[in-house]
Amino acid sequence: MNKDLRTFLAEARQMGPEYFQSVSRPVDPVYEPCVIQQKLAARDDYPVIRFEKVDGSELPLVTNLFGKYELLGLALGVDPDRPKSEILDRFRERVAKPVPTKEVPRDEAPVKQVVIGKDEIDLGKFPIVKHAVKNSGKYIAIGCLVVKDPETGVLNAGVYRHEIKGRAELACMFNPAHHAGYIYRKYREMNKPMDAVLFIGHHPAAILGTLSKQPFDSDEYEMMGALMGEPLEVVPGETVDIPVPAWAEIAIEGFLDPAKETSDGPFSEYTGFYGPAKDPVGLMQVTGITMRRDAVYHDLDPSHREHNLAGALTFETALYNSVAKLVPSVTGVHLPPSGNCTFTAYIKIKKRVPGEGKSAGMAALAGDPNVKIAIVVDDEIDIYNDSDVLWAISTHVQADRDVTTIPFAMGAHLDPSAYGEVRTDKGPMQTKMIVDATRPATLPFADRIVPPKEAWERIRLEDYLDG
Ligand SMILES: Cc1cc2nc3c(=O)[nH]c(=O)nc-3n(C[C@H](O)[C@H](O)[C@H](O)COP(=O)(O)O)c2cc1C
């Protein structure tokens, strides 16, 4: 038996209303689950939300599984009361040790409880959401696509957006730099269709495994096991030669024929802006669906906080490793949701050598091409608290000395302010910035006021406040 989506939902529910909310009143899959999630976010509330009834579908929908950093911790078994830095520590520990999969018989695989043959397929029966007004349609936003390298047989899993194109057809958008994009191009060159499994709903640690950045020849099912802390149980597919996670809620099987493609978009992107329409993108022709008897559909609100947080630990790991190589005194890195978990990085160091701050900033920019602003602070600053970081910038930085800019560097093309080789053109270039907000290493600096230690530890508010 594997951990699964249900195990996680039960855990989140037990943590109380800050972690889990349910909605029994029926909702329209056009915008409504997202707007409810966004209204909660507007009051700084990011629970998992379970919608019991979505118009037009029999399946409940859950969303916001990656809504806050503490939920990533819960997925990895880190108690939300522990320091947030332990979440990245746990992730780094686990991704270092892949865990081989375990094949289980069909009758031990809940994903086989319902088998839908080719003639009965109707994707319209799932509670698939239209997330944003200008999106081209309804998208499966957090489905994990599994494909097999035709040369090596190695499995690759990743989250790819899928627009519903018909009862048994899905658009599938590969960024050309992502591994499924490479594998799809191989099939195209061989003039062969590519088999695929799109699974929806599993333990969030398993999903984080599909989002981890691994070498091209490594099996991402092993990374799902690594992050769950147990072997991923799999079972053979019905219509494709690809194993299916046995404890997934839903598995959609099919193939992508490079001779028959489609288009998708505009789409609500991770930047908080619409991304342009894409043409061509892959077209998945569905050959079968299996699912659990009372399957739960997992959605995610793209372009909002959970979209960015889902990938944050992977990118923070790359950032940490890059900075640690050059500046071993690094004590933490964070990609805050306020900076899309992408464009702005906080790095803290125990500075002892003049210049370490700038070096840490350079390493951060080199460690992740999407980072545009690297802010380096001293060890006592709380990098999980934007206000503390802003305080450090406000009180430590003099711009002519501490801010460095690097124009015309490669970056994220979806950054709406990015530019091309001609500055007025659109393109993937950005002006990078290092803000070194660390104190001098060898010169005296003003004393920060902190509470008296003995009184801070002794005084308990409940012993003093009348209310
Ligand atoms: C919510 C979400 C949606 C994503 N959608 C896409 C997508 O549509 N296309 C894409 O190429 N990458 C997308 N990504 C990024 C990939 O899933 C991610 O880079 C993954 O590591 C790719 O794995 P691979 O390179 O092993 O295939 C998305 C990530 C998240 C968190």
mmCIF file of all heavy atoms in Angstrom, residues 141-142 156-161 173-175 178-180 210-213 220 300 307 310-311, ligand 1:
data_model
loop_
_atom_site.group_PDB
_atom_site.id
_atom_site.type_symbol
_atom_site.label_atom_id
_atom_site.label_comp_id
_atom_site.label_asym_id
_atom_site.label_seq_id
_atom_site.Cartn_x
_atom_site.Cartn_y
_atom_site.Cartn_z
ATOM 1 N N ALA A 141 -4.809 20.876 -15.084
ATOM 2 C CA ALA A 141 -3.689 21.766 -14.753
ATOM 3 C C ALA A 141 -2.572 21.059 -13.994
ATOM 4 O O ALA A 141 -1.450 21.547 -13.952
ATOM 5 C CB ALA A 141 -4.200 22.948 -13.942
ATOM 6 N N ILE A 142 -2.897 19.940 -13.350
ATOM 7 C CA ILE A 142 -1.840 19.260 -12.594
ATOM 8 C C ILE A 142 -1.920 17.742 -12.837
ATOM 9 O O ILE A 142 -1.968 16.930 -11.928
ATOM 10 C CB ILE A 142 -1.805 19.696 -11.098
ATOM 11 C CG1 ILE A 142 -0.652 19.080 -10.294
ATOM 12 C CG2 ILE A 142 -3.134 19.450 -10.383
ATOM 13 C CD1 ILE A 142 0.523 19.934 -10.099
ATOM 14 N N ASN A 156 9.924 8.947 -18.205
ATOM 15 C CA ASN A 156 9.997 10.342 -17.797
ATOM 16 C C ASN A 156 8.610 10.811 -17.369
ATOM 17 O O ASN A 156 7.628 10.575 -18.074
ATOM 18 C CB ASN A 156 10.475 11.204 -18.977
ATOM 19 C CG ASN A 156 10.656 12.645 -18.565
ATOM 20 O OD1 ASN A 156 11.674 13.006 -17.998
ATOM 21 N ND2 ASN A 156 9.649 13.472 -18.812
ATOM 22 N N ALA A 157 8.550 11.458 -16.219
ATOM 23 C CA ALA A 157 7.260 11.993 -15.756
ATOM 24 C C ALA A 157 7.400 13.488 -15.502
ATOM 25 O O ALA A 157 8.444 13.953 -15.045
ATOM 26 C CB ALA A 157 6.836 11.286 -14.468
ATOM 27 N N GLY A 158 6.380 14.237 -15.814
ATOM 28 C CA GLY A 158 6.401 15.687 -15.557
ATOM 29 C C GLY A 158 4.984 16.228 -15.605
ATOM 30 O O GLY A 158 4.077 15.591 -16.151
ATOM 31 N N VAL A 159 4.808 17.408 -15.025
ATOM 32 C CA VAL A 159 3.490 18.039 -15.073
ATOM 33 C C VAL A 159 3.409 18.868 -16.349
ATOM 34 O O VAL A 159 4.262 19.719 -16.600
ATOM 35 C CB VAL A 159 3.278 18.945 -13.835
ATOM 36 C CG1 VAL A 159 1.976 19.729 -13.958
ATOM 37 C CG2 VAL A 159 3.281 18.110 -12.568
ATOM 38 N N TYR A 160 2.416 18.583 -17.155
ATOM 39 C CA TYR A 160 2.210 19.305 -18.417
ATOM 40 C C TYR A 160 0.743 19.679 -18.501
ATOM 41 O O TYR A 160 -0.121 18.874 -18.157
ATOM 42 C CB TYR A 160 2.622 18.427 -19.615
ATOM 43 C CG TYR A 160 4.115 18.161 -19.615
ATOM 44 C CD1 TYR A 160 4.646 17.067 -18.951
ATOM 45 C CD2 TYR A 160 4.984 19.046 -20.221
ATOM 46 C CE1 TYR A 160 6.015 16.855 -18.896
ATOM 47 C CE2 TYR A 160 6.357 18.849 -20.178
ATOM 48 C CZ TYR A 160 6.861 17.749 -19.515
ATOM 49 O OH TYR A 160 8.215 17.563 -19.453
ATOM 50 N N ARG A 161 0.480 20.900 -18.972
ATOM 51 C CA ARG A 161 -0.920 21.318 -19.064
ATOM 52 C C ARG A 161 -1.591 20.611 -20.241
ATOM 53 O O ARG A 161 -0.956 20.379 -21.279
ATOM 54 C CB ARG A 161 -1.010 22.834 -19.222
ATOM 55 C CG ARG A 161 -0.629 23.335 -20.589
ATOM 56 C CD ARG A 161 -0.636 24.856 -20.630
ATOM 57 N NE ARG A 161 -0.534 25.380 -21.971
ATOM 58 C CZ ARG A 161 0.168 26.475 -22.289
ATOM 59 N NH1 ARG A 161 0.846 27.127 -21.359
ATOM 60 N NH2 ARG A 161 0.183 26.910 -23.525
ATOM 61 N N MET A 173 1.134 20.510 -24.055
ATOM 62 C CA MET A 173 2.144 21.517 -24.386
ATOM 63 C C MET A 173 3.492 21.208 -23.723
ATOM 64 O O MET A 173 3.615 21.240 -22.511
ATOM 65 C CB MET A 173 1.638 22.896 -23.933
ATOM 66 C CG MET A 173 2.368 24.067 -24.542
ATOM 67 S SD MET A 173 4.049 24.362 -23.932
ATOM 68 C CE MET A 173 3.734 24.968 -22.292
ATOM 69 N N PHE A 174 4.485 20.890 -24.563
ATOM 70 C CA PHE A 174 5.837 20.638 -24.040
ATOM 71 C C PHE A 174 6.695 21.867 -24.262
ATOM 72 O O PHE A 174 6.869 22.294 -25.418
ATOM 73 C CB PHE A 174 6.533 19.499 -24.793
ATOM 74 C CG PHE A 174 5.764 18.209 -24.795
ATOM 75 C CD1 PHE A 174 5.387 17.616 -25.992
ATOM 76 C CD2 PHE A 174 5.441 17.584 -23.608
ATOM 77 C CE1 PHE A 174 4.699 16.425 -26.002
ATOM 78 C CE2 PHE A 174 4.746 16.388 -23.612
ATOM 79 C CZ PHE A 174 4.372 15.804 -24.814
ATOM 80 N N ASN A 175 7.276 22.401 -23.215
ATOM 81 C CA ASN A 175 8.369 23.353 -23.382
ATOM 82 C C ASN A 175 9.515 22.562 -24.034
ATOM 83 O O ASN A 175 9.858 21.470 -23.561
ATOM 84 C CB ASN A 175 8.770 23.858 -21.982
ATOM 85 C CG ASN A 175 9.969 24.767 -21.993
ATOM 86 O OD1 ASN A 175 10.902 24.579 -22.765
ATOM 87 N ND2 ASN A 175 9.945 25.745 -21.118
ATOM 88 N N HIS A 178 12.113 20.865 -21.876
ATOM 89 C CA HIS A 178 11.763 19.844 -20.886
ATOM 90 C C HIS A 178 11.894 18.449 -21.494
ATOM 91 O O HIS A 178 11.767 18.260 -22.696
ATOM 92 C CB HIS A 178 10.359 20.097 -20.331
ATOM 93 C CG HIS A 178 10.297 21.347 -19.494
ATOM 94 N ND1 HIS A 178 9.145 22.003 -19.194
ATOM 95 C CD2 HIS A 178 11.296 22.065 -18.906
ATOM 96 C CE1 HIS A 178 9.411 23.068 -18.451
ATOM 97 N NE2 HIS A 178 10.711 23.126 -18.270
ATOM 98 N N HIS A 179 12.128 17.471 -20.611
ATOM 99 C CA HIS A 179 12.521 16.148 -21.109
ATOM 100 C C HIS A 179 11.449 15.501 -21.986
ATOM 101 O O HIS A 179 11.782 14.852 -22.975
ATOM 102 C CB HIS A 179 12.873 15.246 -19.929
ATOM 103 C CG HIS A 179 14.172 15.643 -19.289
ATOM 104 N ND1 HIS A 179 14.573 15.200 -18.056
ATOM 105 C CD2 HIS A 179 15.160 16.447 -19.736
ATOM 106 C CE1 HIS A 179 15.754 15.721 -17.760
ATOM 107 N NE2 HIS A 179 16.121 16.489 -18.762
ATOM 108 N N ALA A 180 10.184 15.686 -21.637
ATOM 109 C CA ALA A 180 9.151 15.087 -22.486
ATOM 110 C C ALA A 180 9.208 15.702 -23.890
ATOM 111 O O ALA A 180 8.901 15.033 -24.886
ATOM 112 C CB ALA A 180 7.775 15.271 -21.864
ATOM 113 N N THR A 210 7.788 14.152 -9.747
ATOM 114 C CA THR A 210 7.714 14.351 -11.204
ATOM 115 C C THR A 210 8.231 15.734 -11.578
ATOM 116 O O THR A 210 8.591 15.975 -12.721
ATOM 117 C CB THR A 210 6.271 14.198 -11.754
ATOM 118 O OG1 THR A 210 5.510 15.356 -11.415
ATOM 119 C CG2 THR A 210 5.579 12.966 -11.233
ATOM 120 N N LEU A 211 8.229 16.650 -10.602
ATOM 121 C CA LEU A 211 8.666 18.029 -10.879
ATOM 122 C C LEU A 211 10.150 18.225 -10.604
ATOM 123 O O LEU A 211 10.690 19.298 -10.849
ATOM 124 C CB LEU A 211 7.862 19.005 -10.014
ATOM 125 C CG LEU A 211 6.395 19.175 -10.415
ATOM 126 C CD1 LEU A 211 5.610 19.883 -9.318
ATOM 127 C CD2 LEU A 211 6.300 19.942 -11.728
ATOM 128 N N SER A 212 10.827 17.181 -10.075
ATOM 129 C CA SER A 212 12.243 17.363 -9.747
ATOM 130 C C SER A 212 13.061 17.309 -11.038
ATOM 131 O O SER A 212 12.658 16.683 -12.010
ATOM 132 C CB SER A 212 12.698 16.273 -8.777
ATOM 133 O OG SER A 212 12.646 15.037 -9.430
ATOM 134 N N LYS A 213 14.162 18.012 -11.016
ATOM 135 C CA LYS A 213 15.017 18.063 -12.212
ATOM 136 C C LYS A 213 16.069 16.971 -12.103
ATOM 137 O O LYS A 213 16.950 17.036 -11.259
ATOM 138 C CB LYS A 213 15.699 19.439 -12.318
ATOM 139 C CG LYS A 213 14.724 20.549 -12.611
ATOM 140 C CD LYS A 213 14.314 20.527 -14.070
ATOM 141 C CE LYS A 213 13.184 21.496 -14.360
ATOM 142 N NZ LYS A 213 12.410 21.216 -15.536
ATOM 143 N N GLU A 220 12.046 8.835 -13.483
ATOM 144 C CA GLU A 220 11.412 9.749 -12.514
ATOM 145 C C GLU A 220 10.425 9.037 -11.587
ATOM 146 O O GLU A 220 10.060 9.583 -10.542
ATOM 147 C CB GLU A 220 10.763 10.931 -13.227
ATOM 148 C CG GLU A 220 11.743 12.095 -13.239
ATOM 149 C CD GLU A 220 11.409 13.180 -14.230
ATOM 150 O OE1 GLU A 220 10.711 12.900 -15.216
ATOM 151 O OE2 GLU A 220 11.864 14.306 -14.012
ATOM 152 N N LEU A 300 -5.390 22.514 -9.894
ATOM 153 C CA LEU A 300 -4.471 23.543 -9.373
ATOM 154 C C LEU A 300 -4.827 24.829 -10.100
ATOM 155 O O LEU A 300 -5.186 24.794 -11.286
ATOM 156 C CB LEU A 300 -3.047 23.090 -9.658
ATOM 157 C CG LEU A 300 -1.878 24.057 -9.510
ATOM 158 C CD1 LEU A 300 -0.628 23.302 -9.031
ATOM 159 C CD2 LEU A 300 -1.547 24.777 -10.808
ATOM 160 N N HIS A 307 0.873 27.289 -8.118
ATOM 161 C CA HIS A 307 1.556 26.966 -9.370
ATOM 162 C C HIS A 307 3.070 27.137 -9.164
ATOM 163 O O HIS A 307 3.878 26.290 -9.559
ATOM 164 C CB HIS A 307 1.045 27.912 -10.457
ATOM 165 C CG HIS A 307 1.493 27.578 -11.849
ATOM 166 N ND1 HIS A 307 0.885 28.092 -12.958
ATOM 167 C CD2 HIS A 307 2.493 26.797 -12.322
ATOM 168 C CE1 HIS A 307 1.467 27.649 -14.049
ATOM 169 N NE2 HIS A 307 2.458 26.859 -13.680
ATOM 170 N N ALA A 310 4.681 24.739 -6.289
ATOM 171 C CA ALA A 310 4.847 23.325 -6.644
ATOM 172 C C ALA A 310 6.282 23.046 -7.115
ATOM 173 O O ALA A 310 6.831 21.981 -6.849
ATOM 174 C CB ALA A 310 3.848 22.937 -7.724
ATOM 175 N N GLY A 311 6.888 23.990 -7.796
ATOM 176 C CA GLY A 311 8.248 23.761 -8.303
ATOM 177 C C GLY A 311 9.341 24.356 -7.429
ATOM 178 O O GLY A 311 10.537 24.190 -7.699
HETATM 179 C C1 LIG B 1 1.519 23.459 -12.367
HETATM 180 C C2 LIG B 1 2.616 23.231 -13.354
HETATM 181 C C3 LIG B 1 2.320 23.228 -14.711
HETATM 182 C C4 LIG B 1 3.324 22.996 -15.638
HETATM 183 N N1 LIG B 1 3.016 22.976 -16.966
HETATM 184 C C5 LIG B 1 3.959 22.713 -17.879
HETATM 185 C C6 LIG B 1 3.628 22.628 -19.271
HETATM 186 O O1 LIG B 1 2.485 22.793 -19.676
HETATM 187 N N2 LIG B 1 4.628 22.354 -20.150
HETATM 188 C C7 LIG B 1 5.928 22.177 -19.729
HETATM 189 O O2 LIG B 1 6.788 21.935 -20.589
HETATM 190 N N3 LIG B 1 6.267 22.242 -18.427
HETATM 191 C C8 LIG B 1 5.319 22.502 -17.490
HETATM 192 N N4 LIG B 1 5.644 22.565 -16.167
HETATM 193 C C9 LIG B 1 7.033 22.341 -15.747
HETATM 194 C C10 LIG B 1 7.401 20.872 -15.760
HETATM 195 O O3 LIG B 1 6.428 20.062 -15.190
HETATM 196 C C11 LIG B 1 8.691 20.647 -14.978
HETATM 197 O O4 LIG B 1 9.696 21.450 -15.504
HETATM 198 C C12 LIG B 1 9.121 19.206 -14.977
HETATM 199 O O5 LIG B 1 10.248 19.091 -14.155
HETATM 200 C C13 LIG B 1 9.436 18.722 -16.363
HETATM 201 O O6 LIG B 1 9.875 17.434 -16.248
HETATM 202 P P1 LIG B 1 10.740 16.728 -17.354
HETATM 203 O O7 LIG B 1 11.746 17.743 -17.883
HETATM 204 O O8 LIG B 1 11.363 15.610 -16.649
HETATM 205 O O9 LIG B 1 9.770 16.297 -18.412
HETATM 206 C C14 LIG B 1 4.654 22.788 -15.212
HETATM 207 C C15 LIG B 1 4.942 22.796 -13.855
HETATM 208 C C16 LIG B 1 3.934 23.011 -12.931
HETATM 209 C C17 LIG B 1 4.262 23.023 -11.460
#
